């Protein structure tokens, strides 16, 4: 496994691999890696000759400076994990390497980026598009791998690939959960022991809510999920929306579309956690 910190060195390595007829897979990450990331890397390694993992905490997608400052950075530990799951090349650049000058590009993913995360974290998806498009340009992968936990991000990256006319395949990978159901997240490391026990309420309520779909009207089920998560002390729902899985627009009836997903964001103390559940 090789570790690169400059774009020029990584590009030279990838050019050599492509010249040898090798296929390239990319797993973009912000580090603080866990078993969810490991599952993406393993899938990537199984489907490509060369697996590239980027480790970069991207400042342009944070609209909260504290969140950026507190985001866990564990490169040494990340490198050990990546070595064990089939990664070939790590790209761990500095902020100056990626942004020698400010990235002023503005993307428009209407209506995908105007709801849910887009509404509560203005500018977030523009920052995601900036960094992911840069990584695609640097690595020129045949395939790139993303987790379904970031459901809205996945839809937006697919749309970005379409808009930019990029010749690569986006592979969606299922949510990886702890044994008790909590969706794996780098942010879980910031939870206290007490908060960690309470955070599992999020997935428990989502799983239980599937028992009421489609018999309970969508508006009632939405309220039920919010009320039952908020009952747990230290948990506060920022939003829960039941949406069309393709357009991300809220649905009001179970028969409106064949693909329905419930997306939730919850503050557990100061830590912001996301999850989703497929209803249909």
């Amino acid at each position: 496994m090789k570790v690169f910190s400059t774009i020029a060195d990584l590009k030279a390595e990838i050019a050599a691999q492509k010249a040898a007829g090798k296929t390239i897979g990319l797993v973009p990450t912000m580090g603080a890696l866990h078993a969810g990331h490991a599952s993406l890397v393993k899938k990537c390694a199984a489907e490509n000759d060369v697996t590239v993992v980027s480790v970069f905490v991207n400042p342009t997608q944070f609209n909260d400076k504290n969140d950026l400052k507190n985001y866990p950075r564990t490169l040494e530990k990340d490198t050990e994990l990546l070595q064990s799951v089939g990664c070939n090349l790590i790209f761990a650049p500095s902020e100056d390497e990626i942004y020698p000058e400010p990235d002023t590009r503005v993307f428009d993913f209407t209506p995908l980026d105007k709801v849910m995360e887009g509404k509560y974290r203005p500018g977030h998806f523009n920052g995601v598009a900036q960094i992911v498009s840069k990584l695609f340009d640097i690595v020129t992968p045949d395939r790139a791998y993303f987790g379904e936990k970031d459901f809205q991000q996945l839809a937006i990256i697919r749309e970005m690939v379409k808009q930019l006319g990029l010749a690569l395949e986006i592979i969606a990978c299922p949510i990886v959960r702890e044994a008790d159901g909590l969706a794996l997240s780098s942010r879980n490391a910031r939870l206290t022991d007490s908060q960690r026990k309470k955070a599992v309420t999020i997935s428990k309520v989502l799983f239980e809510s599937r028992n009421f779909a489609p018999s309970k009207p969508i508006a009632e089920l939405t309220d039920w999920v919010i009320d039952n998560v908020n009952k747990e002390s230290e948990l506060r729902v920022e939003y829960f929306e039941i949406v069309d899985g393709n357009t991300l627009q809220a649905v009001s009836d179970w028969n409106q579309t064949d693909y329905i997903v419930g997306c939730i964001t919850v503050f557990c103390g100061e830590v912001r956690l996301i999850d989703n559940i497929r209803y249909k």
Side-chain angles (χ1 to χ4, degrees), residues 179-280:
D180 61 4
L182 180 68
L184 287 180
S185 167
S186 301
R187 287 184 167 89
N188 293 353
R190 292 176 52 202
L191 299 171
T192 65
D193 289 345
S194 160
Q195 287 171 337
R196 169 64 187 80
K197 288 182 182 125
K198 290 171 179 176
V200 74
T201 300
I202 302 165
S203 54
K204 276 186 175 164
V205 170
L206 289 181
F207 294 155
E208 197 179 336
S209 73
R210 277 200 295 216
N211 299 329
F212 304 120
S215 56
K216 200 185 269 281
I218 281 176
E220 274 182 40
L221 187 60
T222 301
D223 290 344
W224 183 89
V225 167
I226 293 169
D227 291 346
N228 278 275
V229 173
N230 282 341
K231 269 180 197 169
E232 182 62 79
S233 66
E234 288 204 79
L235 296 187
R236 177 176 61 80
V237 175
E238 185 172 49
Y239 67 79
F240 172 63
E241 294 193 22
I242 297 177
V243 302
D244 181 312
N246 293 311
T247 67
L248 306 184
Q249 300 308 291
V251 292
S252 54
D253 188 276
W254 294 108
N255 296 317
Q256 215 167 308
T257 172
D258 291 331
Y259 185 16
I260 296 181
V261 179
C263 298
I264 195 165
T265 293
V266 180
F267 278 97
C268 183
E270 297 293 307
V271 184
R272 191 173 184 272
L273 303 173
I274 65 172
D275 202 347
N276 63 76
I277 193 99
R278 187 177 297 205
Y279 290 113
K280 190 177 174 187

Side-chain angles (χ1 to χ4, degrees), residues 49-68:
D49 299 319
V50 178
T51 292
V52 183
V53 178
S54 61
V55 177
F56 179 67
V57 181
N58 175 43
T60 70
Q61 71 191 68
F62 286 84
N63 53 346
D64 177 344
K65 285 192 171 67
N66 273 334
D67 196 19
L68 173 61

